[in-house]
Amino acid sequence: MSGDNSCLDMSVPLRNLLNSVKCIRDRVQDGESTESNDSFSLQNFWDTLSQAVKAISQETTKLSLAFSKPPLPSPQDVETLAESIQKCILALSTVYYWLPKDQGMTLRRVVRDATTEVLDGIVQLIDIILNSPFQSLSQEQLTTTGGVWSSCDQFAHLPRDNQAAVLEALASCIGVVKDAIEEMEQAQAERHDPFSDVLDEEDLDSRGNQDTYWSESDRQLMAPCQGLMKASAACLKKLSAAVKANGKVDAPENIAQLDDLADISKEISPSVDDLALSLYPPMDYSGVEHNACKLASVLKKVLEITRACHVCLEGDLNWVQFLDGAVDHNLQKVKAMTPGSS
């Protein structure tokens, strides 16, 4: 009976810690950062944040080890561990809030997501310890502890300013668009039914040629659609090069312009995916035109914002104008091949 009471006593500070970490995590996800501060130092922010993350990793290790083998820690030891972890977590969240919005919303989202990931991992670890037999180290506990370490380690590789954060966001978009283009080219190159790898023979037979193969007019319509997709990839690559070469984080206005580029560029990859999906047979021309118009509109907006941004120097106007014309050209072709579909 006394053993049961001991386990019960130990679970109380852990449950309190669990609730505290969840509350802090929710505030980090939804809370606002501090206002602009003239004395803010980005270097000092990263140095302090790194120390906070290192402390969390160490305290998490202590907690996991305490419940990895007998003897069980005393309720007082568990209370001390819980207090230490809570102190470290509060320090991490406090430092996160130091980062003002005018240092870049893209950068802030990256730090917020990384911070939330650490807190999520600690929530999982505490939950596993509470719901596992004490004095036994489960594989799940080992895996989750390793997950917290990994989440902490990633802070060393986060972008250090908004220019780097925007470049990272653009690289992610480029990867998605490139994959969509390659998948569509592969589907076209394959002579068999593009759905043959996901349908069995009976389903293929029941679909009939009309539903499973592209007609000649379908293939003709695909050409300008793929032109729009390729223009998307070219736009992202050129924009990324301009941000890398000319992007500045020396003034709030320049930082905000980089955020605008990142935000509008994020709309490219889902628009490319929507257009690519609508090209598979049976092709609905109305849907294809709608998605082509949507992608073209996003690209025109990206180019418009780029033209007005500090990253666009005089020499960059050539590729901006060229891609603007390429978008118009391909969209006109799509509309010409889908008469009356809109």
Side-chain angles (χ1 to χ4, degrees), residues 5 39 59 77 146 151 176 306 319 326 335:
N5 287 334
S39 63
E59 292 302 317
D77 288 340
S151 297
V176 175
T306 300
W319 66 260
K335 289 184 175 181

Side-chain angles (χ1 to χ4, degrees), residues 93-283:
S93 63
T94 299
V95 177
Y96 161 71
Y97 280 118
W98 286 359
L99 186 62
K101 289 181 180 179
D102 64 8
Q103 288 295 321
M105 295 304 292
T106 308
L107 176 64
R108 190 170 178 271
R109 280 192 290 268
V110 169
V111 179
R112 180 198 65 197
D113 292 347
T115 302
T116 301
E117 188 175 321
V118 170
L119 299 179
D120 277 336
I122 295 173
V123 166
Q124 291 173 20
L125 177 61
I126 298 171
D127 196 51
I128 288 168
I129 291 174
L130 281 168
N131 291 287
S132 300
F134 288 122
Q135 302 188 49
S136 66
L137 179 63
S138 67
Q139 182 60 45
E140 193 176 10
Q141 182 178 331
L142 279 171
T143 302
T144 306
T145 304
V148 175
W149 294 340
S150 178
S151 297
C152 291
D153 289 345
Q154 74 167 327
F155 276 79
H157 308 290
L158 295 182
R160 264 15 193 192
D161 59 31
N162 209 45
Q163 180 191 21
V166 170
L167 282 171
E168 191 176 85
L170 290 173
S172 177
C173 294
I174 290 171
V176 175
V177 171
K178 183 180 177 182
D179 288 345
I181 292 172
E182 289 177 352
E183 286 175 15
M184 184 53 59
E185 289 177 343
Q186 182 179 354
Q188 273 191 291
E190 293 172 349
R191 296 189 177 183
H192 58 76
D193 183 346
F195 289 99
S196 61
D197 59 338
V198 293
L199 296 175
D200 57 34
E201 288 187 13
E202 289 184 7
D203 290 328
L204 286 173
D205 292 340
S206 66
R207 287 170 59 84
N209 289 341
Q210 185 177 0
D211 285 351
T212 59
Y213 293 96
W214 285 294
S215 66
E216 184 56 36
S217 60
D218 289 345
R219 290 183 178 276
Q220 289 177 359
L221 177 57
M222 289 176 72
C225 290
Q226 287 180 288
L228 284 172
M229 294 166 68
K230 290 177 180 178
S232 301
C235 179
L236 287 168
K237 288 178 183 177
K238 287 289 188 181
L239 178 56
S240 182
V243 169
K244 184 175 183 179
N246 311 320
K248 296 179 180 179
V249 290
D250 57 350
E253 180 182 355
N254 290 334
I255 291 172
Q257 286 183 351
L258 292 176
D259 281 333
D260 289 341
L261 289 174
D263 289 343
I264 186 62
S265 296
K266 285 178 185 175
E267 297 182 26
I268 293 179
S269 54
S271 297
V272 167
D273 280 342
D274 288 344
L275 178 57
L277 287 172
S278 67
L279 293 177
Y280 281 93
M283 193 184 289

